[in-house]
Amino acid sequence: MNDTINLLMNHRSIRSYKPDPVTDDQLETIIAAGQMASSSSNVQAYSVIAIRDPKRKAQLSELAGNQRYIVECPVFLVWCADLYRLEKAVQQHAPEQESYTDAVENFIVATADVTLAAQNAAVAAESMGLGIVYIGGIRNDIEGAAELLGLPELVYPVYGMCIGYPNQEPDLRPRLPLKAVLHHESYDTAATEQSVKEYDEQMSNYLSVRTAGTRNTPWSALMAQKFTTPSRMQLKEFLDKKGFNKR
């Protein structure tokens, strides 16, 4: 164990923040650390929009399902997969050639790139004593969010991120057993299924303690509910309109 691993192993999602500001220097350092994440072929297919304006945060909070911590946090980041400037590079240097910016492969590259950068930034923020929480709800009304943020073609908001000084210390949430996610040489379905059974019991106990006995639903039952409930079904139409995944 070392300081970096200890930091990673103690990650918690923070949903309550002190009013202390995140300075410009802190923000720029956090984003610069994000930029040092691995990037496929150095395309760096992402952009980040920092929101401090209370009115704009309130608008984004409403679009994301009225999550109060978006308003409460001193700075809200919107992490976007961004192929716009790459398409502009094609138009500048190879206007006579067919562009494949709209291919599914490049959609995956951009989504992976922004995720790697965001996680680097999250760790950098936590190393400064700040807390973060990812906000997938930015995709609830993705068209409204994109319009509010002025996102051009080939840019979409993947998630938001609240950043600020924690005003809470939540318990660590248990993760799946390591053997459920670490396979050697080939995928082990038996180990996966056994690990889920073990994790169901662990999470049932965790929820029971956390909710004073009012909830003890196993993890697999929660996941079955999640994946049999339609969610954000408008995304495909939005991504089509933004020029993604045409081939």
Side-chain angles (χ1 to χ4, degrees), residues 191-205:
T192 294
E193 291 169 17
Q194 179 58 37
S195 296
V196 169
K197 291 179 183 177
E198 295 170 11
Y199 189 56
D200 274 348
E201 183 176 353
Q202 184 183 21
M203 280 299 295
S204 181
N205 293 334

Side-chain angles (χ1 to χ4, degrees), residues 177-192 195:
L178 187 62
K179 62 184 178 181
V181 297
L182 175 61
H183 303 263
H184 295 277
E185 312 305 337
S186 63
Y187 196 104
D188 189 338
T189 55
T192 294
S195 296

Side-chain angles (χ1 to χ4, degrees), residues 81-196:
D82 184 353
L83 295 170
Y84 172 79
R85 61 174 167 263
L86 297 160
E87 176 60 21
K88 289 296 181 182
V90 172
Q91 292 173 9
Q92 179 182 354
H93 296 286
E96 72 289 349
Q97 295 187 38
E98 185 174 8
S99 172
Y100 293 93
T101 312
D102 58 7
V104 171
E105 165 64 9
N106 290 318
F107 173 80
I108 293 172
V109 164
T111 304
D113 260 19
V114 70
T115 300
L116 294 169
Q119 188 59 19
N120 251 32
V123 174
E126 290 177 343
S127 77
M128 298 176 181
L130 298 163
I132 71 100
V133 64
Y134 283 96
I135 305 294
I138 200 71
R139 303 189 302 276
N140 285 3
D141 184 348
I142 195 167
E143 193 149 1
E147 183 177 352
L148 180 64
L149 298 169
L151 302 185
E153 189 177 41
L154 291 171
V155 180
Y156 86 97
V158 184
Y159 28 68
M161 180 189 287
C162 297
I163 297 184
Y165 287 95
N167 196 31
Q168 61 176 177
E169 192 171 343
D171 293 334
L172 286 173
R173 186 188 296 267
R175 298 302 203 220
L176 282 161
L178 187 62
K179 62 184 178 181
V181 297
L182 175 61
H183 303 263
H184 295 277
E185 312 305 337
S186 63
Y187 196 104
D188 189 338
T189 55
T192 294
E193 291 169 17
Q194 179 58 37
S195 296
V196 169

Side-chain angles (χ1 to χ4, degrees), residues 2-76:
N2 55 43
D3 290 345
T4 302
I5 293 174
N6 283 330
L7 179 68
L8 292 168
M9 297 296 284
N10 282 281
H11 165 73
R12 298 165 174 84
S13 291
I14 300 299
R15 294 178 173 86
S16 180
Y17 299 92
K18 296 177 181 178
D20 309 57
V22 174
T23 68
D24 286 343
D25 284 347
Q26 286 176 309
L27 177 60
E28 289 174 7
T29 299
I30 288 166
I31 301 304
Q35 286 188 273
M36 295 309 295
S38 298
S39 171
S40 178
S41 301
N42 201 35
V43 298
Q44 302 173 76
Y46 56 87
S47 291
V48 191
I49 302 175
I51 311 294
R52 284 195 172 101
D53 177 66
K55 181 180 178 181
R56 192 163 290 249
K57 284 194 295 177
Q59 290 173 306
L60 287 168
S61 174
E62 184 177 354
L63 291 169
N66 296 306
Q67 299 185 57
R68 60 172 176 77
Y69 22 96
I70 296 176
V71 177
E72 183 183 324
C73 70
V75 60
F76 181 64

